[in-house]
Amino acid sequence: MIVWIGYTIHKQQKSSEDFLLAGRSMPAWIAGLAFCAANLGATEILGMAANGAQIGMPTIHYYLIGAIPGMVFLGIFMMPFYYGSGVRSVPEFMRKRFGKGAQLIVSLCFAVSTILQAGINLYAMALILQAMLGWSQWTAIILSAIFVLAYITLGGLTSAIYNEVMQFFVIVAALIPVTIVGLHQVGGWSGLTAKLSSMQDWSGSIHAWAGTGLGNVTNPVGGDWFSILMGLGFVLGFGYWTTNFTEVQRAFAAKSMTAARMTPIIGAIPKMLIWLIIIIPGLVAAATVGNLFAGDHPVLQYNEAIPYLFKMYLPNGVLGVAITGMMASFMAGMAANVSSFNTVVVYDLVQDYIKPGEKDSYYLKLGRWITFAGIVISVGTAWIASQFGNIMTYLQTLFSFFNAPLFAVFILGLVWKRVSNVAGTVAYVAGIIAPLITYILYLNSVAAGHPIFGSATAETWYGAIISLFATWIVAAILTPFTKAKTEKELEGLTFSTGGMKYFKAAKDEELEDAKRAAKGVKDTALVKVPWFKKPAVLGTVIFILGLVFYIPFF
């Protein structure tokens, strides 16, 4: 089916923008579901279920603090700048704000980061096929990569988005049965919590915020409330959802400013609920086969929690749906990585630096070749992912290196017009080096038997905070000694230099859309925009609902 979709869309790919940005023609609901599905790869499912089995309900922080606020912030505040300025990628916006040096470094870092993430998805898929079908990991990796290569090369981002929407429903259909059956086997939610509470060898928690006091950290994550709110919620959460082009690209493909703003907000609705069918299976795995994860020589890695539950609980037929769902999740995540990788390489590296001024057909053809190269390299980076027992920790480490400093310099550039090209670029590099040093110090402290952070997960949160402040401090030191851009050069790139015009344009567009939809109304002056079509209002409602979900697990 996915290859057929790619083939049917192939004939529509007449320009590089069609291939790399879906012609900027997607309605909000399609882009929104694709926005959520692009993050719902095998990495997310295996990794978050692994966290559920290992640390329990504190995993919910990744959704309600680490995702929903950032997605809402992107839709309300960031997309007007992205879409209004007409840029085709996040690195291109960095060029407009901080110059070519910043664009080049950000593009290279993003290319490295996204290919490493694609390797994680490949490895995660290999785990599924190895556990379910008995295939060797390398056979699974290569065959899975071939399918993604086929439909992305044929149909580009349009193919990826349409397939992600289809794959979203297949993924949900795969996870719901194992969640329901698993809960039934342990006596429902009350039976699950009772079982976990009685397990002395389980290091997780059924409470999300317990043991997070400053100076009195006893939760299984090893982080206090400040690191959760600041490190995960603000720096990593906002950094990932607002500057990671793998996600933001789906909003770039939307057909209008309003659709672009609604894309992450619509995506936040399923994101607010999807943890139920990811974390709970992890908890069920801890309650039923937790002893297989324990000891110096565990029988299972935490990454294998979901595949093991599939084999244990699901009959043939339903098991087939589950395997198909996991394959869909892998392809959604992998395709998101590859489709953003080829866009940045073609537009931000080749077109701007290596081969500028070529015909558009050249960049269209190059996009397909870059897709092929990216997938081949991903096969190699899958080996790196295989060295980590919990792939989600590995993924968060990458985010603390690359997304945290980009978000820090991005926000600084929007609110402080004085920050110069040199200050922003050097600060970004400093923001990469700082968490790298922190990570090395943490590894050395673990080897010495005196870890400086409570866990590898906590290290990524603190590393992100350190990255943020390192970026801001370096930028603040260098800015007074470097030349800033003029207000004319910064037109529309900061809040104080015309950026607010995008918000006015967005509001006017919302009203025009409402008037077009109000058929039969004679006096259009009386037409008002429904609340659920206002990104700011709908986003605020979703944000509040996300916080409400914390109450049962506080």
Side-chain angles (χ1 to χ4, degrees):
M1 173 65 78
I2 62 172
V3 175
W4 178 80
I5 289 174
Y7 175 76
T8 56
I9 292 172
H10 177 68
K11 297 177 182 179
Q12 304 171 16
Q13 309 300 300
K14 301 184 184 301
S15 69
S16 63
E17 187 171 271
D18 289 338
F19 184 77
L20 299 171
L21 290 176
R24 293 195 162 182
S25 60
M26 292 294 163
W29 75 270
I30 289 179
L33 284 178
F35 191 94
C36 183
N39 180 251
L40 197 60
T43 304
E44 167 85 1
I45 294 172
L46 295 191
M48 287 304 180
N51 275 349
Q54 187 173 10
I55 65 176
M57 284 312 299
T59 308
I60 202 174
H61 294 315
Y62 286 100
Y63 293 88
L64 304 185
I65 288 291
I68 302 303
M71 297 169 80
V72 170
F73 184 81
L74 171 64
I76 295 176
F77 295 106
M78 300 287 280
M79 281 315 302
F81 282 97
Y82 281 140
Y83 206 89
S85 61
V87 298
R88 298 167 299 183
S89 67
V90 172
E92 189 172 321
F93 187 90
M94 290 294 289
R95 174 175 62 79
K96 287 193 171 187
R97 178 61 183 89
F98 291 109
K100 286 191 171 183
Q103 179 194 21
L104 180 60
I105 295 173
V106 169
S107 298
L108 290 171
C109 289
F110 175 80
V112 172
S113 172
T114 198
I115 285 298
L116 288 171
Q117 293 172 45
I120 297 173
N121 271 301
L122 268 174
Y123 170 64
M125 191 63 237
L127 286 179
I128 291 286
L129 295 180
Q130 183 183 43
M132 298 290 99
L133 304 178
W135 294 5
S136 72
Q137 285 190 9
W138 283 109
T139 300
I141 284 172
I142 293 172
L143 288 179
S144 301
I146 288 173
F147 278 96
V148 177
L149 175 64
Y151 79 84
I152 297 298
T153 304
L154 286 169
L157 181 61
T158 305
S159 175
I161 288 176
Y162 281 132
N163 273 305
E164 283 162 1
V165 173
M166 179 185 72
Q167 288 158 344
F168 172 82
F169 293 104
V170 179
I171 293 166
V172 171
L175 292 174
I176 287 177
V178 77
T179 304
I180 294 174
V181 174
L183 274 177
H184 176 73
Q185 292 293 328
V186 295
W189 179 254
S190 58
L192 176 62
T193 54
K195 172 67 175 175
L196 292 173
S197 299
S198 66
M199 293 172 58
Q200 296 182 352
D201 56 344
W202 186 56
S203 59
S205 174
I206 57 176
H207 301 288
W209 288 98
T212 59
L214 291 173
N216 184 32
V217 176
T218 58
N219 69 86
V221 191
D224 52 42
W225 62 264
F226 176 76
S227 67
I228 295 171
L229 293 176
M230 185 70 177
L232 174 61
F234 181 59
V235 187
L236 286 175
F238 279 50
Y240 178 80
W241 293 103
T242 64
T243 65
N244 187 340
F245 188 54
T246 298
E247 294 296 332
V248 179
Q249 187 183 27
R250 273 73 195 146
F252 274 58
K255 65 180 181 180
S256 66
M257 170 80 82
T258 301
R261 297 184 74 194
M262 291 295 285
T263 292
I265 293 174
I266 291 173
I269 297 173
K271 188 69 176 178
M272 184 170 55
L273 301 169
I274 202 75
W275 58 268
L276 287 165
I277 54 176
I278 297 177
I279 299 177
I280 291 178
L283 293 172
V284 171
T288 54
V289 294
N291 59 309
L292 299 182
F293 301 118
D296 295 331
H297 302 285
V299 177
L300 295 176
Q301 289 187 330
Y302 286 106
N303 291 328
E304 298 175 272
I306 284 284
Y308 197 84
L309 288 186
F310 282 166
K311 292 175 67 176
M312 189 164 62
Y313 288 138
L314 300 185
N316 290 340
V318 179
L319 181 59
V321 173
I323 296 175
T324 306
M326 291 300 97
M327 293 178 72
S329 73
F330 149 73
M331 291 176 186
M334 178 77 176
N337 296 137
V338 173
S339 59
S340 58
F341 171 79
N342 61 23
T343 303
V344 168
V345 171
V346 171
Y347 281 154
D348 295 288
L349 293 175
V350 176
Q351 190 179 62
D352 286 349
Y353 294 95
I354 301 173
K355 280 277 192 176
E358 296 287 340
K359 292 182 178 179
D360 188 72
S361 59
Y362 172 84
Y363 300 115
L364 173 59
K365 184 182 294 184
L366 180 65
R368 292 194 167 98
W369 280 108
I370 293 299
T371 300
F372 175 79
I375 289 180
V376 171
I377 297 170
S378 299
V379 172
T381 59
W383 178 84
I384 299 175
S386 68
Q387 307 305 303
F388 287 78
N390 188 325
I391 53 178
M392 189 51 62
T393 300
Y394 171 45
L395 194 62
Q396 293 296 316
T397 302
L398 292 178
F399 293 158
S400 69
F401 289 171
F402 298 112
N403 292 89
L406 179 56
F407 172 69
V409 74
F410 207 102
I411 290 298
L412 200 63
L414 287 180
V415 301
W416 190 16
K417 65 181 181 180
R418 177 66 182 83
V419 183
S420 66
N421 289 4
V422 173
T425 305
V426 174
Y428 174 66
V429 175
I432 295 174
I433 296 173
L436 178 60
I437 293 174
T438 305
Y439 182 64
I440 293 172
L441 291 175
Y442 170 70
L443 292 180
N444 290 335
S445 69
V446 171
H450 302 287
I452 55 178
F453 300 112
S455 68
T457 299
E459 186 280 327
T460 65
W461 299 348
Y462 288 108
I465 295 171
I466 291 169
S467 174
L468 179 85
F469 284 110
T471 303
W472 285 354
I473 291 170
V474 170
I477 293 173
L478 292 179
T479 292
F481 304 102
T482 52
K483 183 181 178 180
K485 284 185 173 182
T486 64
E487 291 204 6
K488 184 178 180 180
E489 291 173 314
L490 291 174
E491 173 63 28
L493 299 176
T494 73
F495 284 103
S496 61
T497 58
M500 297 306 295
K501 67 183 179 183
Y502 300 136
F503 294 89
K504 183 179 183 304
K507 190 173 181 180
D508 292 342
E509 187 178 274
E510 291 169 23
L511 183 57
E512 288 302 315
D513 289 343
K515 288 179 178 179
R516 282 193 293 270
K519 297 179 180 178
V521 177
K522 294 182 179 180
D523 188 359
T524 56
L526 300 176
V527 174
K528 293 184 179 180
V529 182
W531 68 269
F532 55 87
K533 291 188 177 181
K534 294 181 178 180
V537 177
L538 181 60
T540 302
V541 170
I542 292 171
F543 173 74
I544 293 172
L545 286 176
L547 296 181
V548 169
F549 275 113
Y550 263 126
I551 295 175
F553 311 105
F554 199 89

